[in-house]
Amino acid sequence: MASLPAQTLFTPEEYITQERKALHKSEYLSGQIFAMSGASRAHSLITGNIFNRLYNQLVASDCEIHSSDMRVQPSPIAYFYPDVVVACGESRFADDVFDTLLNPIVIVEVLSPSTAAFDRGEKFAHYRQLASLQDYLLVSQHKFCVEHYWRQGQQWKHTEFCAPEDVLPLISIGCEISLRDIYTRVTVAD
């Protein structure tokens, strides 16, 4: 019986060193490095729409908003690149390179068929370890639907917004965003 080759595991420090030199982004979980694939047109438009709408509402506040190039470290064994991330007050970073955010308040992931289960499951389990995190949004690419998870004390509550006229409140950052705005120029199923 043939044996499988041993899998190479990396320390978080090895990942960060490699990632800072890399031409393409990768995420890290439990010693494994996962290359990120390119985004679809719908994914790109949705991410840009959310970023734009939130940026315009936050520009005069003490919050900063980042697109998918800001890495987040939700636990000692995980590093992810959310599609949109918001931090308010004094942003905390892993080191003086300022490329790994530790205290996001809002995280948005636009769902892809290949990542949806992971974004809802294991990735969200790691994100929930962030004491700062108040809102987690999972946005469908293929239909009007945003899953909103928000922290209420030690509990996480959940609701879905699935009608074009729905408006999603993000109380933690004093913003709201309509599904019509999220899906501007995106063709979705009714």
Side-chain angles (χ1 to χ4, degrees), residues 73-115:
Q73 182 184 7
S75 72
I77 61 164
Y79 292 84
F80 303 127
Y81 287 94
D83 291 308
V84 178
V85 61
V86 178
C88 297
E90 185 175 339
S91 295
R92 291 186 306 112
F93 294 91
D95 57 28
D96 61 359
V97 180
F98 306 109
D99 61 356
T100 306
L101 184 66
L102 300 176
N103 63 331
I105 291 178
V106 175
I107 290 177
V108 179
E109 294 285 2
V110 178
L111 299 175
S112 299
S114 62
T115 64

Side-chain angles (χ1 to χ4, degrees), residues 4-12 14-15 18 27-35:
L4 295 174
Q7 185 174 10
T8 302
L9 297 179
F10 297 89
T11 67
E14 290 170 327
Y15 161 74
Q18 180 177 318
E27 293 186 323
Y28 175 88
L29 181 60
S30 301
Q32 297 182 50
I33 296 174
F34 302 94

